[in-house]
Amino acid sequence: MEDSLGVRIDLRSDAVHVEGPEEGVARVQRIFQDFEALRRQGVNPHNGELNGLLRLVVADPATTLRSLADSGKQRSAGVKRTVQPRSINQRKYVEAIEKNDMVFAVGPAGTGKTYLAVAMAVAAMNAKKVSRIVLVRPAVEAGERLGFLPGTLQDKVDPYLRPLYDALYDLLDPEKVDKMLERNVIEIAPLAFMRGRTLNDAFIIMDEAQNTTIEQMKMFLTRMGANSKSVITGDITQIDLPNPRKSGLLDAINILNGVEGIQFCHFEDCDVVRHALVQRIVRAYESAKPVQQELPLALGEVIDVGSQPSESRTETQPQHPAKPQ
């Protein structure tokens, strides 16, 4: 609050002393008043959630802690924990899901793309806006080859879908999730099983969309039926396809941008809500990209690192490396 509002806050034994511009002091006073009112109502956000709420409040003068808490309660009906956006882009994302039938969420890992989508799906089902939830993921390994997994078909695809299970169990009681899975109220399936289906009255989420091919993406996007909503999430910096340029997510961004009823939400490293280290790791990889792109890609290309003329180097260096002893 001090950095964003230009004030100085001094915590004393009997009071909070605030110095700075009149407008900034007034906003700090309102924040403390709202926090005290929420505390008396039994609302006690933990540190991570409170930091996210404060970031939203100081970024928008029209936003208050009370209004954010009230909107979080509405989205969290029937859910174990409060579903609350923690950054400006997360708030835009949640509002986009509420207003549009199809939303693309593109950004780095840890920005809450999948978790918020699952939370909004559970809230929509609890509010009787949809009758089922369909969670989809392409079965592509992250640079590995898992081989032939033992067990039934469900046992084989479950490792790929585990992040979706984790979000569900975090939001709902395990017994309730298991019961919904048994009754197919919540369906978790690999992308290959979607062909030929029409999904009516459903909240459909596709995770890891960067690992779909162009054909798979088109097939998935045309599964929507009446009274359905789709959310597609992905990270274009983590494409595990043999040819990254064939990613269905990249193709959809280029083709569908501007289509009525479809909204794209982009996240940045500042939206990462995991461990603080994750945000710094994402930034480090992003800053290393230009350096990596400048490296020679040809296998036979020689990097000149010395000032010695090329003629003398070719005379002194052997043409073929010596065989290892």
Side-chain angles (χ1 to χ4, degrees), residues 32-320:
F32 274 100
Q33 289 172 345
D34 285 351
F35 180 76
E36 178 63 19
L38 292 174
R39 192 183 65 81
R40 290 178 179 175
Q41 295 172 11
V43 179
N44 296 300
H46 56 79
N47 285 340
E49 185 180 353
L50 181 59
N51 287 336
L53 293 174
L54 290 176
R55 283 163 61 186
L56 291 173
V57 171
V58 298
D60 183 5
T63 302
T64 65
L65 274 179
R66 286 193 191 185
S67 64
L68 291 176
D70 291 341
S71 61
K73 286 180 183 177
Q74 294 174 3
R75 299 188 189 105
S76 307
V79 180
K80 280 196 300 186
R81 59 174 62 202
T82 304
V83 180
Q84 191 65 258
R86 299 188 189 179
S87 69
I88 297 294
N89 287 331
Q90 283 193 356
R91 185 181 183 186
K92 292 178 180 177
Y93 178 42
V94 169
E95 291 173 350
I97 294 175
E98 292 174 339
K99 296 176 182 176
N100 297 275
D101 288 335
M102 183 175 290
V103 176
F104 285 80
V106 183
T111 49
K113 304 183 299 293
T114 303
Y115 188 88
L116 285 175
V118 174
M120 293 297 289
V122 172
M125 190 173 65
N126 288 336
K128 309 296 183 184
K129 294 179 181 178
V130 296
S131 61
R132 59 176 170 157
I133 299 172
V134 180
L135 307 174
V136 182
R137 218 169 188 254
V140 177
E141 300 97 339
E144 303 172 18
R145 291 294 176 268
L146 300 183
F148 295 99
L149 295 173
T152 64
L153 181 61
Q154 193 64 37
D155 294 333
K156 293 177 189 295
V157 300
D158 270 356
Y160 300 101
L161 308 174
R162 181 51 52 187
L164 299 174
Y165 284 106
D166 292 342
L168 283 172
Y169 284 116
D170 194 48
L171 290 163
L172 297 170
D173 293 325
E175 298 81 9
K176 190 172 184 179
V177 174
D178 294 339
K179 196 173 294 184
M180 287 179 170
L181 289 170
E182 287 177 11
R183 292 163 39 212
N184 270 341
V185 175
I186 297 178
E187 178 185 352
I188 304 179
L191 178 61
F193 292 4
M194 292 295 106
R195 187 173 296 278
R197 300 182 62 183
T198 301
L199 302 173
N200 295 313
D201 198 29
F203 198 116
I204 315 157
I205 300 172
M206 178 161 68
D207 192 29
E208 297 291 330
Q210 76 275 5
N211 289 327
T212 62
T213 63
I214 296 173
E215 293 78 13
Q216 287 175 328
M217 177 62 78
K218 181 182 177 183
M219 178 270 291
F220 172 80
L221 296 179
T222 53
R223 299 307 95 196
M224 280 185 70
N227 191 38
S228 288
K229 189 183 289 283
S230 288
V231 179
I232 300 95
T233 71
D235 178 4
I236 57 177
T237 67
Q238 295 190 23
I239 300 175
D240 299 316
L241 296 172
N243 186 354
R245 295 183 181 179
K246 298 283 187 177
S247 169
L249 180 59
L250 288 175
D251 189 63
I253 292 172
N254 294 328
I255 292 177
L256 300 178
N257 194 18
V259 174
E260 185 179 355
I262 301 177
Q263 184 165 336
F264 288 84
C265 297
H266 295 273
F267 293 86
E268 301 171 356
D269 53 28
C270 61
D271 299 306
V272 173
V273 292
R274 290 179 182 166
H275 194 286
L277 264 179
V278 176
Q279 190 175 104
R280 296 196 284 271
I281 289 170
V282 171
R283 284 177 181 166
Y285 273 97
E286 286 296 320
S287 61
K289 270 186 178 180
V291 178
Q292 293 173 350
Q293 291 172 356
E294 291 173 5
L295 294 177
L297 299 179
L299 291 176
E301 191 171 348
V302 178
I303 304 176
D304 187 5
V305 295
S307 58
Q308 191 178 3
S310 58
E311 292 82 0
S312 60
R313 280 203 308 270
T314 52
E315 291 175 2
T316 57
Q317 292 180 353
Q319 292 186 354
H320 299 286

